[in-house]
C-alpha cells in the first residue's frame, strides 16, 4: 500500500489549498488538469479572446476622469471601465472562460453563487450563449435587494434558487452551491465568481480576470508614457482587484490598494473587512483571512453592497497583504453611497456600489499622489442594479 | 498512534461475534446543552458501538438541512469546543464506549490544533473525523493528528478515483468512513445498488474496517448495509427522531436500527 502523501495544494504562501469534502477531490483534479491543458492550448485562448472582443466588447476603455480628479485633488485619475463590458461588470471575463472549460470537460450543467447578482447574470449570459443549463444560488436578502438582476437571470433562461439558511447572503449562497456540487459533481461544473474556493479556482479566476490588468498596463503606458503610481480596486472576494493588480505585481513602484467594505464602521462590527480585521481560517475550501469569532464560527458580514458582503477573501490577497505587496483599507457604506452620487454627478457614470468603495477611497487620498504620476481605479461594474436599492435607502418608494 | 485501541477493540469484538458496528452521529449541544451527556448514555444503552459527536459549525457545507439545523440550534445554545469536551469528560467517567469527534476544520484551528489534540485526548476522545480535510490537503496538519493518540478517521467517496483509494487512508486509523453516495448528509429513500461491489473494491486495497454512512434512515436499509459493511453510521435520521420524540424518541429509533441490523 502506498504511503506517499500528495504535495500540498497551497498556492499562495500558507494561503489557499483544498479544504473540501473528499467527494470533490476527483472533480478538482479533473478541473485542474483540464484547465492546465486549456491554458497551454492556443485555440482555447484565442476563442476566449475573440468572444471577449466580439461578444463582451473588450478592450474596455481607460478613461481620464478629469472632473473626478479635480474633486479628488489629482490631475490624472483614470478609470478602467469594466462597467462597459457586456452585462455591466468584469464578471463576464471569468464566466466565458469557465463556460468554455465546462464544455471542454463535457459538463453541460452549470451552477453558480451570486451576491449582487452580477456574477449570476454573467453566468446566465454565458450559459445562454453556449446553450448550457444554469442554476444560480442567491441569498434571500440579496434576492430582495437585487430584484433587477434576479429578473435578468430569469430572462436569460437561468433558474434562480433563493437560499434562506444562515445569513441569507453570499456566504450561504456559496454553501448551497457547494452542496449542489457535492451532489451533482459528475455532471456539473461550478463556476465560482471570485478568486476564492479550493484550488484551482483562485488561480484560474485570476488568470481569466488578468485581462483587466494587461489592458490597463498597455493603455496607461500609451496614454501617459508611464506606469501608474497607484492602482485602486474594491475587494469582496477580490476578483476585479486581483485582475487589475496581476500585471503590476512585479512593478514594485506601483502601489496596489484594495478597498474593503467597512459597512457601518469597523468599530460597530457590522462590516466585511476580512483583511483589515479578520484572522486566517478555513471557509469554502481555502485558508485565508476570515471574519470569525473566537470559537472559529464564521461571523456574518455586512455591507450596503451585496457583492462585498462576504466574510472571506481570496487567498492571494491574504498573501499579498502579508508580504506587503498590496495594501488594504476599508470605507463605510455612507462613504460608498456618497461616491455613488459624486461619480454620477461629476462624470455621468453611475458606478456599482461595490466599485463606489474604490471611488470613495480615491476621493479621500488621491491628492497625496498628485506629484507621483497617474492613478488608476478599477470601475468594476455599473450601478443600474443598485439604483432602486439606493433610492430606497434614501427614503424613496421602491422603483421596481 | 496505538491509542485508537478502543475503536479497534470494538471492531475486533464485533467481528468475532459476526456483528456490525452501529455508529450513531449526534450534534453536540442539540437539542439543548444539557441533553448531550444523557443522550450519549442512552445511545450506548440501546446498542451504539461507537458514537460520532458532532462539533457544530456555522457553515456546514457537507451537511443537508437536518444537520445544518441542528448545528445552528446548538450554536445558538452556546455550544463550543470547550463545552463539548467538558460534556465528553462527564460521559467518559464510567463509560468506555469509543467516541469520535466529527468536525469541520475551522473550530479546531481557532481552538489551536495542539491544544485541541491534547484536551480532546484528556477528555476521553478516541478519534477525529474532519469533513473538510481530505487526505493530502495539509500534510503537516494531518501528520500532527496522526501522531496524536486520536485515530484520524479518513473518508472515501464514490467519486474518489480508485487509484487514490489506497492513499486516502494514509495516516488514518480506527476505521474508514465510506460515503455511500455523492451529496450532503441526510436521510434518503434509496441507497446505491452498487454498494457491495464498491465496498469489495475498497477492501481489496484498504485493511481498516469500513463503516458506511450518508442516507441510511430505516432498519431495513441498516440491515442491508450491515450485510456488507463493518459499520453503519446513522446521523440525520437520528436527529429527526430526536426532533419528534426527544431523547427517548431518539433512543427508541436507534434501538430499532440495532434490532434490524442484528436480525440481518
Amino acid at each position: 500500500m502506498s504511503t506517499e502523501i500528495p504535495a500540498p495544494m497551497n498556492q499562495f504562501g500558507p494561503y489557499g489549498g483544498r479544504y473540501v469534502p473528499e467527494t470533490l477531490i476527483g472533480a478538482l483534479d479533473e478541473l485542474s488538469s483540464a484547465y492546465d491543458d486549456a491554458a497551454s492550448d492556443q485555440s482555447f485562448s484565442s476563442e476566449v479572446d475573440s468572444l471577449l472582443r466580439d461578444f463582451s466588447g473588450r478592450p474596455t476603455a481607460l478613461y481620464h476622469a478629469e472632473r473626478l480628479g479635480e474633486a479628488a485633488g489629482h490631475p490624472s485619475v483614470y478609470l478602467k471601465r469594466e462597467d462597459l463590458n457586456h452585462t455591466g461588470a468584469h464578471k463576464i471575463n471569468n464566466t466565458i472562460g469557465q463556460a468554455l472549460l465546462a464544455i471542454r470537460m463535457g459538463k453541460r450543467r452549470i451552477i453558480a453563487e451570486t451576491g449582487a447578482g452580477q456574477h449570476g447574470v454573467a453566468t446566465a449570459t454565458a450559459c445562454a450563449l453556449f446553450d448550457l443549463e444554469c442554476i444560480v444560488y442567491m441569498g434571500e436578502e440579496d434576492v430582495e435587494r437585487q430584484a433587477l438582476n434576479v429578473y435578468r437571470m430569469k430572462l436569460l433562461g437561468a433558474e434562480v434558487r433563493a437560499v434562506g439558511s444562515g445569513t441569507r447572503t453570499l456566504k450561504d449562497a456559496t454553501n448551497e452551491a457547494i452542496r449542489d456540487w457535492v451532489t451533482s459533481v459528475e455532471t456539473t461544473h461550478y463556476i465560482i465568481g471570485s478568486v476564492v474556493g479550493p484550488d484551482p479556482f483562485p488561480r484560474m479566476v485570476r488568470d481569466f480576470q488578468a485581462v483587466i490588468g494587461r489592458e490597463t498596463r498597455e493603455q496607461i503606458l500609451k496614454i501617459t508614457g508611464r506606469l501608474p503610481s497607484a492602482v485602486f480596486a474594491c475587494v469582496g472576494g477580490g476578483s476585479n482587484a486581483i485582475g487589475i493588480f496581476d500585471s503590476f505585481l512585479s512593478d514594485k513602484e506601483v502601489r496596489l490598494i484594495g478597498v474593503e467594505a467597512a459597512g457601518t464602521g469597523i468599530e460597530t462590527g457590522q462590516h466585511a473587512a476580512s483583511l483589515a480585521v479578520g484572522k486566517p481560517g478555513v471557509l469554502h475550501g481555502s485558508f485565508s483571512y476570515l471574519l470569525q469569532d473566537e470559537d472559529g464560527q464564521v461571523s456574518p458580514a455586512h455591507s450596503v453592497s451585496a457583492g462585498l458582503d462576504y466574510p472571506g477573501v481570496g487567498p492571494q490577497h491574504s498573501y499579498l497583504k502579508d508580504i506587503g505587496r498590496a495594501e488594504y483599507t476599508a470605507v463605510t457604506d455612507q462613504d460608498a453611497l456618497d461616491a455613488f452620487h459624486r461619480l454620477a454627478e461629476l462624470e455621468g457614470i453611475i458606478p456599482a456600489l461595490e466599485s463606489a468603495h474604490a471611488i470613495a477611497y480615491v476621493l479621500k487620498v488621491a491628492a497625496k499622489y498628485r506629484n507621483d504620476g497617474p492613478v488608476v481605479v478599477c470601475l468594476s461594474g455599473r450601478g443600474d442594479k443598485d439604483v432602486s436599492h439606493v433610492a430606497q435607502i434614501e427614503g424613496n418608494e421602491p422603483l421596481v | 498512534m496505538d491509542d485508537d485501541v478502543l475503536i479497534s477493540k470494538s471492531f475486533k469484538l464485533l467481528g468475532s461475534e459476526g456483528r456490525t458496528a452501529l455508529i450513531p452521529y449526534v450534534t453536540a449541544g442539540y437539542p439543548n446543552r444539557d441533553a448531550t451527556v444523557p443522550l450519549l448514555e442512552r445511545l450506548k444503552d440501546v446498542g451504539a458501538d461507537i458514537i460520532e459527536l458532532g462539533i457544530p459549525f456555522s457553515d456546514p457545507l457537507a451537511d443537508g438541512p437536518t444537520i445544518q439545523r441542528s448545528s445552528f440550534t446548538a450554536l445558538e445554545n452556546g455550544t463550543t469546543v470547550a463545552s463539548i469536551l467538558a460534556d465528553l469528560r462527564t460521559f467518559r467517567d464510567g463509560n468506555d464506549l469509543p467516541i469520535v469527534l466529527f468536525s469541520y476544520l475551522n473550530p479546531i484551528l481557532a481552538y489551536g490544533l495542539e491544544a485541541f489534540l491534547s484536551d480532546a485526548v484528556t477528555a476521553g476522545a478516541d478519534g477525529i473525523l474532519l469533513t473538510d480535510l481530505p487526505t493530502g490537503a495539509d500534510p503537516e496538519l494531518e501528520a500532527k493528528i496522526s501522531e496524536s493518540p486520536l485515530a484520524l478517521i479518513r473518508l472515501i467517496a464514490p467519486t474518489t478515483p480508485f487509484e487514490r483509494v489506497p492513499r486516502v487512508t494514509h495516516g488514518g486509523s480506527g476505521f474508514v468512513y465510506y460515503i455511500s453516495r455523492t451529496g450532503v448528509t441526510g436521510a434518503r429513500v434509496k441507497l446505491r445498488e452498487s454498494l457491495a461491489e464498491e465496498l469489495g473494491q475498497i477492501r481489496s486495497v484498504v485493511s481498516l474496517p469500513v463503516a458506511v454512512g450518508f442516507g441510511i434512515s430505516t432498519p431495513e436499509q441498516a440491515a442491508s448495509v450491515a450485510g456488507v459493511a463493518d459499520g453503519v453510521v446513522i446521523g440525520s435520521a437520528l436527529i429527526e427522531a430526536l426532533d419528534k420524540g426527544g431523547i427517548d424518541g431518539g433512543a427508541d429509533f436507534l434501538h430499532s436500527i440495532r434490532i434490524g441490523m442484528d436480525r440481518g
Side-chain angles (χ1 to χ4, degrees):
Chain A
M1 209 174 294
S2 166
T3 55
E4 175 201 345
I5 308 174
M9 286 296 173
N10 297 324
Q11 300 291 315
F12 310 105
Y15 302 110
R18 272 191 186 172
Y19 298 94
V20 293
E22 172 66 27
T23 309
L24 294 180
I25 292 297
L28 292 172
D29 281 342
E30 180 194 6
L31 179 60
S32 293
S33 94
Y35 176 61
D36 292 344
D37 184 56
S40 61
D41 178 349
Q42 195 62 48
S43 71
F44 180 80
S45 49
S46 20
E47 192 172 6
V48 172
D49 290 348
S50 74
L51 280 163
L52 289 180
R53 184 186 65 227
D54 302 333
F55 184 67
S56 188
R58 299 205 75 92
T60 59
L62 185 70
Y63 165 67
H64 186 188
E66 292 185 49
R67 295 193 64 212
L68 175 70
E70 202 175 303
H74 191 302
S76 80
V77 174
Y78 286 83
L79 301 179
K80 178 57 175 168
R81 297 291 307 276
E82 288 302 296
D83 61 314
L84 296 178
N85 271 304
H86 178 46
T87 75
H90 70 293
K91 295 293 187 187
I92 192 119
N93 302 330
N94 170 44
T95 61
I96 285 187
Q98 285 204 49
L100 283 171
L101 198 58
I103 294 167
R104 245 176 122 91
M105 293 186 295
K107 293 184 172 179
R108 302 203 67 89
R109 180 177 181 270
I110 299 295
I111 55 172
E113 84 296 336
T114 197
Q118 290 303 102
H119 174 58
V121 167
T123 304
T125 299
C127 290
L129 177 66
F130 299 121
D131 191 23
L132 302 170
E133 184 188 352
C134 181
I135 290 144
V136 180
Y137 290 93
M138 189 169 186
E140 277 177 355
E141 187 177 323
D142 295 333
V143 168
E144 286 158 25
R145 58 182 168 178
Q146 303 288 349
L148 180 65
N149 272 345
V150 174
Y151 191 62
R152 287 169 81 195
M153 287 184 266
K154 289 179 182 164
L155 279 176
L156 292 161
E159 180 191 340
V160 179
R161 294 190 184 162
V163 177
S165 62
T167 56
R168 302 159 68 238
T169 58
L170 179 55
K171 169 180 82 96
D172 298 277
T174 307
N175 287 340
E176 213 51 44
I178 294 174
R179 289 183 188 116
D180 181 317
W181 204 33
V182 170
T183 311
S184 62
V185 63
E186 284 144 315
T187 60
T188 299
H189 176 62
Y190 176 19
I191 300 189
I192 289 188
S194 193
V195 285
V196 301
D199 180 78
F201 284 106
R203 61 185 165 96
M204 181 173 76
V205 176
R206 174 201 60 204
D207 293 351
F208 286 133
Q209 292 295 359
V211 64
I212 306 173
R214 277 199 303 276
E215 287 178 6
T216 303
R217 199 172 192 287
E218 199 181 307
Q219 289 165 321
I220 196 82
L221 284 172
K222 195 167 167 201
I223 298 167
T224 71
R226 59 182 296 183
L227 289 172
S229 57
V231 175
F232 298 85
C234 65
V235 175
S239 69
N240 88 88
I242 284 289
I244 197 164
F245 289 175
D246 189 67
S247 288
F248 299 101
L249 285 174
S250 46
D251 303 310
K252 301 292 183 212
E253 69 275 26
V254 180
R255 288 175 71 175
L256 305 174
I257 300 166
V259 185
E260 295 187 294
T264 58
I266 299 285
E267 67 289 353
T268 67
Q270 305 287 307
H271 58 79
S274 329
L275 289 161
V277 293
K279 279 188 310 188
V282 171
L283 178 69
H284 298 151
S286 62
F287 183 67
S288 194
Y289 278 85
L290 177 64
L291 297 179
Q292 54 180 317
D293 67 16
E294 57 185 15
D295 295 319
Q297 307 297 340
V298 179
S299 307
H302 164 82
S303 171
V304 68
S305 115
L308 302 185
D309 196 345
Y310 182 67
V313 66
Q316 191 172 2
H317 284 295
S318 294
Y319 181 62
L320 293 174
K321 173 190 156 86
D322 280 9
I323 63 169
R325 179 60 193 97
E327 304 150 59
Y328 297 88
T329 183
V331 304
T332 63
D333 288 350
Q334 192 56 56
D335 287 342
L337 286 164
D338 292 345
F340 180 83
H341 284 285
R342 302 274 323 261
L343 194 68
E345 288 162 16
L346 290 169
E347 297 288 353
I349 298 169
I350 302 173
L353 278 176
E354 291 76 16
S355 324
H357 285 72
I359 301 290
Y361 192 65
V362 164
L363 279 164
K364 280 180 203 267
V365 303
K368 285 197 271 180
Y369 296 86
R370 61 171 301 111
N371 300 317
D372 304 337
V375 298
V376 175
V377 192
C378 188
L379 190 68
S380 55
R382 69 177 186 226
D384 306 45
K385 70 185 174 60
D386 296 310
V387 167
S388 177
H389 181 52
V390 172
Q392 246 180 298
I393 291 171
E394 294 172 348
N396 303 294
E397 291 297 309
L399 307 179
V400 289
Chain B
M1 199 76 145
D2 50 1
D3 293 55
D4 58 310
V5 88
L6 276 184
I7 298 176
S8 306
K9 241 167 77 182
S10 178
F11 276 106
K12 265 193 206 116
L13 181 68
L14 288 161
S16 69
E17 294 168 354
R19 297 166 77 218
T20 303
L22 174 56
I23 310 174
Y25 163 93
V26 287
T27 305
Y30 184 82
N32 55 65
R33 284 273 301 279
D34 298 333
T36 299
V37 175
L39 179 58
L40 295 179
E41 279 166 355
R42 289 294 303 279
L43 295 178
K44 176 184 182 238
D45 292 344
V46 296
D49 298 298
I50 295 169
I51 296 178
E52 284 184 7
L53 185 58
I55 296 175
F57 181 49
S58 55
D59 292 84
L61 50 78
D63 286 300
T66 305
I67 293 178
Q68 284 176 50
R69 195 164 30 76
S70 69
S71 301
F72 297 148
T73 304
L75 290 174
E76 279 167 19
N77 293 340
T79 308
T80 63
V81 171
S83 77
I84 294 164
L85 295 182
D87 282 349
L88 179 53
R89 203 174 301 120
T90 307
F91 169 75
R92 245 309 153 248
D93 201 13
N95 284 301
D96 62 357
L97 193 77
I99 300 284
V100 172
L101 295 168
F102 178 109
S103 187
Y104 290 81
L105 194 51
N106 206 51
I108 308 295
L109 295 179
Y111 190 93
L113 179 68
E114 268 121 35
F116 172 81
L117 293 172
S118 147
D119 292 356
V121 170
T122 307
D126 300 283
I128 173 95
L129 183 160
L130 292 160
T131 41
D132 52 359
L133 184 70
T135 307
D138 196 329
E140 200 182 319
L141 197 150
E142 292 164 64
K144 282 182 186 160
I145 302 173
S146 296
E147 286 156 14
S148 84
L150 293 183
L152 176 57
I153 309 301
R154 294 298 202 178
L155 293 107
I156 299 174
T159 51
T160 301
F162 184 66
E163 65 276 11
R164 179 176 156 84
V165 171
R167 278 187 317 199
V168 163
T169 53
H170 177 81
S173 55
F175 63 95
V176 171
Y177 188 135
Y178 182 59
I179 298 167
S180 60
R181 46 161 297 148
T182 57
V184 293
T185 55
R188 303 286 196 287
V189 178
K190 273 189 81 175
L191 298 172
R192 285 164 87 94
E193 284 165 9
S194 47
L195 185 61
E197 191 189 321
E198 290 162 9
L199 286 174
Q201 285 186 345
I202 291 169
R203 283 214 176 86
S204 72
V205 289
V206 170
S207 54
L208 289 168
V210 184
V212 172
F214 273 46
I216 301 166
S217 60
T218 66
E220 293 72 32
Q221 285 174 338
S224 106
V225 174
V228 290
D230 302 304
V232 174
V233 183
I234 304 275
S236 298
L238 174 57
I239 302 283
E240 281 164 18
L242 279 171
D243 289 340
K244 281 190 206 121
I247 292 180
D248 288 340
D252 289 348
F253 169 74
L254 196 73
H255 191 223
S256 74
I257 296 280
R258 173 88 265 173
I259 292 171
M261 281 168 57
D262 290 349
R263 201 176 283 149

